[in-house]
Amino acid sequence: MRFEGTDSFVATEDLKVAVNAAVALQRPLLIKGEPGTGKTVLAQEIAKALGKPLISWHVKSTTKAQQGLYEYDAVSRLRDSQLGDARVHDISNYIVKGKLWEAFEAEAAPVLLIDEIDKADIEFPNDLLLELDRMEFYVYETRQVVKARQRPIIVITSNNEKELPDAFLRRCFFHYIKFPDRETMQRIVDVHYPGLSHLLLHEALTSFFELRELPGLKKRPSTSEFLDWLKLLLAEDIGPELLRERNAAKLIPPLHGALLKNEQDVHLFERIAFLARRG
């Protein structure tokens, strides 16, 4: 099985190579890149392309590695014992399976997405080293070993908020999703808006990439934000001629709230407009 992209996802050649290399090596695929470049969507598209189920584990700042394996619900067991429930005699009734356990037990090898691993504590990746290496873990309460029926395809995403441990990185195949160039971005737009006017797309791409290249911009707009902006342009029936205007009063793109997400960047454009008017 080889990943070649899908009808709804434009995969560059280097991304296809990375996915197929990780599958061949049976290593987790660690994906980094700017927010909004399709890291999470990639796992969904791999599952779709290879005909595999998808299991998603979305990591938060409070998430612990143990939650991916299982959790023992001692509170429920205590409550049931007070109520005289017969279930208390079997401790397995209070073992809550995590996403890794779910992936290990799946009849067909799934795609397991561990999303935004860098949000969790720095020890989170280290706490999963053994389980990801051996594809098994021990349940102390029931004294059983849970082994993977088939090795899942593991996709791990990171926004680079924290440095990941070297021991963890050594066990992964790494790929950085570069921001799409103009040609790739046009292919992405063609997938989402196949009937879009070529003139509107040309002007929108020009405005978008000029905005991204502006010095001093705190947060550059992402691919997903560009697609949202195009959707708004179509909904408001804004034509290419309005985007083509480059006078001082129109420096900020129409509906710029889809692209600029903090006041610092909006003020930057206002200062540029002010200087342009003075000039």
Side-chain angles (χ1 to χ4, degrees):
M1 293 183 295
R2 291 187 62 81
F3 175 69
E4 299 294 341
T6 66
D7 294 338
S8 57
F9 184 82
V10 177
T12 57
E13 198 59 40
D14 58 341
L15 181 56
K16 295 177 191 175
V17 169
V19 172
N20 293 318
V23 173
L25 290 172
Q26 295 188 328
R27 297 278 191 183
L29 174 62
L30 175 60
I31 295 289
K32 291 186 179 182
E34 289 185 31
T37 49
K39 299 186 296 297
T40 302
V41 175
L42 173 63
Q44 300 167 3
E45 296 300 325
I46 292 173
K48 178 180 174 183
L50 302 183
K52 294 181 176 293
L54 174 68
I55 297 174
S56 299
W57 183 14
H58 299 287
V59 177
K60 300 178 181 178
S61 59
T62 55
T63 303
K64 301 299 180 185
Q66 181 64 31
Q67 294 172 305
L69 308 179
Y70 70 93
E71 291 184 276
Y72 170 51
D73 191 354
V75 174
S76 293
R77 193 180 188 201
L78 176 61
R79 183 193 62 230
D80 288 349
S81 68
Q82 292 170 340
L83 295 174
D85 195 320
R87 295 174 72 248
V88 298
H89 300 298
D90 185 357
I91 197 171
S92 64
N93 290 325
Y94 304 94
I95 300 295
V96 181
K97 297 178 181 179
K99 295 297 183 180
L100 251 69
W101 192 331
E102 187 181 335
F104 285 4
E105 279 195 337
E107 292 185 8
V111 174
L112 172 63
L113 168 65
I114 304 177
D115 197 25
E116 298 189 328
I117 194 171
D118 53 322
K119 277 189 175 179
D121 185 83
I122 189 63
E123 291 303 321
F124 180 93
N126 281 334
D127 291 342
L128 291 176
L129 289 181
L130 188 63
E131 289 76 15
L132 295 181
D133 249 358
R134 297 186 180 179
M135 287 287 122
E136 67 178 45
F137 61 89
Y138 185 71
V139 183
Y140 292 93
E141 288 78 5
T142 59
R143 298 178 183 177
Q144 69 179 114
V145 176
V146 178
K147 293 186 177 182
R149 292 185 179 183
Q150 301 94 12
R151 181 179 285 268
I153 297 173
I154 301 174
V155 179
I156 302 172
T157 70
S158 169
N159 285 325
N160 241 358
E161 292 181 10
K162 292 190 187 83
E163 286 293 326
L164 299 175
D166 289 345
F168 179 79
L169 294 174
R170 183 173 60 80
R171 290 164 168 81
C172 299
F173 188 92
F174 172 75
H175 181 73
Y176 184 87
I177 297 182
K178 294 181 290 188
F179 193 83
D181 57 20
R182 187 175 178 124
E183 180 183 348
T184 305
M185 187 67 82
Q186 185 163 343
R187 289 168 54 204
I188 292 171
V189 173
D190 289 342
V191 167
H192 290 84
Y193 303 104
L196 189 67
S197 158
H198 291 295
L199 280 175
L200 178 60
L201 177 56
H202 173 79
E203 295 300 334
L205 283 169
T206 300
S207 297
F208 176 73
F209 279 101
E210 283 181 357
L211 190 154
R212 272 188 60 87
E213 292 166 7
L214 187 71
L217 206 62
K218 184 176 180 181
K219 182 196 174 300
R220 295 180 178 182
S222 67
T223 304
S224 60
E225 288 164 337
F226 178 59
L227 294 174
D228 287 345
W229 186 51
L230 282 178
K231 185 176 182 179
L232 287 175
L233 294 180
L234 292 171
E236 297 297 326
D237 197 24
I238 293 176
E241 58 282 347
L242 183 60
L243 298 180
R244 199 179 297 125
E245 293 184 17
R246 292 290 186 271
N247 61 54
K250 303 281 181 152
L251 279 175
I252 300 183
L255 302 168
H256 62 272
L259 299 174
L260 302 175
K261 297 301 176 69
N262 61 72
E263 65 279 6
Q264 178 178 315
D265 291 340
V266 175
H267 291 161
L268 176 63
F269 269 86
E270 289 172 348
R271 287 197 299 272
I272 293 172
F274 173 74
L275 293 173
R277 284 193 296 269
R278 289 190 64 183

